Amino acid sequence: MTATVTRAGDPLHGPHGGAATCTYDVTVIGAGVVGAAIARELAHHPLRTALVDASDDIAGGTSKANTAILHTGFDAVPGTLEARLVRDGQRRLTAYAAETGIPVERVGALLIAWDEEQLAALPALSAKAGRNGYHAARLMGPDELRAREPRLGPGALGALEIPDESIICPWTTPLAYVTQAVRAGVHLHLDCRVEHIDSGSGAHTLTTSRGPLRTRYLINAAGLYADEIDRQLGHDAFTVTPRRGQLIVFDKLARELVGHILLPVPTAAGKGVLVAPTVFGNVLLGPTAEELDDKTDTGSSAEGLALLREKGRRILPDLIDEEVTAVYAGLRAATGHEDYRIQDHPRQRYITVGGIRSTGLTASMAIAAHVTGLLAAIGLDLSTPAGLPALTMPNLGEAFPRPYRRADLIAKDPAYGTLVCHCERVSAGEIRDALAGPVPPRSKEGLRRRTRAGGGRCQGFYCGAAVRALIEEAGA
């Protein structure tokens, strides 16, 4: 039977309440974008499903700090599982975003050659795109490139155009997944760190920071910690090395400087530093690619930011003179392998979903479908799938009507016309709705990811007190 719907944070919702007295059919460790997508996919089926995460919010790790690009998969390694799932995931997520109101802008990408060696590599990259099933790539000469991006730095020799690369909201996507999952009966356990796993003949018992949790089938989507969970189950197939990516977010006044995602020609060291618009109206510069030992080191460094400015000055010189809104860093789950590390272990009723790097957002829905298929193959009876509750997410994108500009909403509820965060034009109605939602935030950072409040030019200096008062009033 399907578990009852309870809100995240409700005492009954945690292992010390309802979970201690039942055995779940499936438990997903990790509520990042991939784990969230898996939980949503499982919600189609009459199963007792749990989604657990060590942090106090969903998508609190790598998923909250990516470059927010909806990839075509043109540059994936042909024939890999990643290439297939990114291609499938792009189609799925594009359709899902249109259905649920997740902001997406098809701005296209330009892979720019800055020297003769890079220029000579573009035809091979175009052919690679074709082997990945993407046939819209097109070579572009320097004159057309300059006409399309007049603010480019001097010396660009040509480009490969990828017209279907898009930008997407990286925060609304996992929130949509989890909201649908929770509404359909999935139990969400936050602040729930998995400390030990005992696997018996009939069930896994997870010792967590909130008490015991029993489950028949187990899915490891723990991101940076997927290797550690895997070893608890007796496997040593990969090691996650955190790869830090620092990024600079420029003010909205910089948005007119760039029309496409500007990509470098990739090297063996990675995809390099890009310049990209965001759906929020800003411009991103980054990321770096720094191999670290510390899976918690999301700080920025003077050296990293200086490197980004140096790279950005060549790509788009005028950008460096613009105001900086924010600096952030994310850690990618690098494994040293060129493919995802998704593996089923039938005898243990266990599936590893590891090594999901920067393409995980794009591939998330396809990964979820693939993993659900593996669950069925190793013995889980999924029964007949059912539809999920319809969902419309709050719009955070600048290319679509925001609540403060919608007279119809304001006429029905003046709270949508009462601005709290003036930098990002966030209304009291939006904040109220987020705090009362099925998966409410537990912090100002969580509220910012749901509404953009405090994420603008002043970084919450002016609206911080008002936002905090609304959070306290809601009891969050």
Side-chain angles (χ1 to χ4, degrees):
M1 60 178 286
T2 302
T4 57
V5 180
T6 51
R7 285 184 50 172
D10 189 303
L12 184 60
H13 215 64
H16 55 279
T21 60
C22 76
T23 298
Y24 288 106
D25 295 310
V26 188
T27 294
V28 182
I29 301 175
V33 70
V34 172
I38 294 171
R40 177 191 171 276
E41 186 69 23
L42 292 172
H44 283 95
H45 303 276
L47 302 167
R48 294 190 190 96
T49 301
L51 176 63
V52 305
D53 199 278
S55 68
D56 68 352
D57 200 1
I58 65 163
T62 298
S63 297
K64 73 180 180 184
N66 59 46
T67 50
I69 295 175
L70 183 55
H71 297 280
T72 58
F74 79 96
D75 59 345
V77 177
T80 58
L81 179 63
E82 179 179 16
R84 175 168 68 83
L85 294 181
V86 169
R87 189 165 60 248
D88 182 27
Q90 191 262 355
R91 290 192 294 265
R92 290 174 182 261
L93 183 49
T94 298
Y96 182 72
E99 173 190 322
T100 58
I102 298 170
V104 173
E105 292 183 54
R106 181 179 171 271
V107 296
L110 298 173
L111 200 67
I112 300 173
W114 295 95
D115 57 40
E116 293 293 343
E117 182 180 356
Q118 293 177 1
L119 186 66
L122 294 183
L125 288 167
S126 180
K128 183 180 184 181
R131 294 198 302 276
N132 280 318
Y134 185 77
H135 302 289
R138 184 178 69 89
L139 294 170
M140 180 183 297
D143 292 340
E144 183 182 358
L145 174 59
R146 182 67 55 185
R148 297 279 290 274
E149 288 290 351
R151 300 295 191 98
L152 272 181
L157 302 180
L160 180 67
E161 182 187 17
I162 313 295
D164 297 297
E165 293 280 297
S166 302
I167 53 177
I168 188 171
C169 179
W171 307 323
T172 308
T173 304
L175 181 61
Y177 294 159
V178 177
T179 298
Q180 274 195 312
V182 167
R183 285 180 174 175
V186 171
H187 279 191
L188 174 62
H189 304 289
L190 298 173
D191 286 321
C192 187
R193 182 178 301 278
V194 175
E195 298 170 344
H196 184 70
I197 301 172
D198 290 307
S199 298
S201 58
H204 304 278
T205 299
L206 279 58
T207 301
T208 81
S209 55
R210 297 184 63 191
L213 186 152
R214 284 173 53 84
T215 185
R216 293 170 56 220
Y217 288 79
L218 184 63
I219 298 173
N220 169 14
L224 291 166
Y225 300 91
D227 57 339
E228 298 176 27
I229 296 294
D230 214 37
R231 290 190 181 97
Q232 288 208 43
L233 275 294
H235 307 288
D236 193 16
F238 64 94
T239 297
V240 172
T241 300
R243 181 176 294 158
R244 183 170 64 184
Q246 300 182 51
L247 296 105
I248 301 174
V249 182
F250 288 89
D251 189 77
K252 298 178 193 303
L253 293 176
R255 179 62 181 86
E256 65 178 16
L257 297 178
V258 61
H260 303 77
I261 302 164
L262 306 182
L263 301 172
V265 176
T267 67
K271 295 183 179 181
V273 173
L274 60 82
V275 173
T278 75
V279 295
F280 314 120
N282 303 95
V283 177
L284 285 181
L285 172 64
T288 57
E290 308 158 62
E291 303 287 339
L292 304 177
D293 296 322
D294 186 351
K295 293 182 179 181
T296 65
D297 187 357
T298 57
S300 58
S301 68
E303 297 79 10
L305 298 180
L307 172 66
L308 292 182
R309 287 184 171 276
E310 177 187 341
K311 298 283 188 181
R313 184 171 285 108
R314 181 179 191 185
I315 301 167
L316 206 68
D318 293 341
L319 181 64
I320 305 306
D321 295 327
E322 295 292 331
E323 294 291 331
V324 172
T325 292
V327 170
Y328 70 92
L331 299 176
R332 288 159 280 179
T335 63
H337 297 271
E338 289 188 329
D339 204 356
Y340 294 160
R341 310 298 293 172
I342 300 178
Q343 181 63 54
D344 60 337
H345 303 280
R347 292 185 179 180
Q348 292 180 297
R349 306 172 312 284
Y350 167 65
I351 297 175
T352 305
V353 186
I356 312 299
R357 300 179 300 275
S358 56
T359 55
L361 171 61
T362 300
S364 55
M365 297 188 81
I367 293 172
H370 178 66
V371 169
T372 301
L374 291 178
L375 280 173
I378 65 176
L380 178 62
D381 181 9
L382 297 176
S383 299
T384 304
L388 296 178
L391 180 68
T392 300
M393 297 301 294
N395 168 49
L396 303 187
E398 285 298 305
F400 309 91
R402 297 281 306 285
Y404 78 94
R405 298 177 63 184
R406 291 186 54 184
D408 59 330
L409 285 181
I410 297 170
K412 294 178 182 177
D413 187 344
Y416 291 114
T418 304
L419 292 184
V420 175
C421 172
H422 288 261
C423 293
E424 294 297 306
R425 304 293 192 269
V426 182
S427 68
E430 293 168 274
I431 293 174
R432 176 203 61 205
D433 293 348
L435 293 171
V439 188
R442 295 182 171 186
S443 65
K444 287 173 65 176
E445 291 72 24
L447 182 63
R448 176 176 56 80
R449 291 192 292 271
R450 286 162 174 80
T451 65
R452 290 173 43 184
R457 185 178 302 173
C458 81
Q459 289 292 289
F461 181 82
Y462 289 103
C463 68
V467 168
R468 171 55 63 188
L470 290 170
I471 292 174
E472 292 177 352
E473 183 180 325

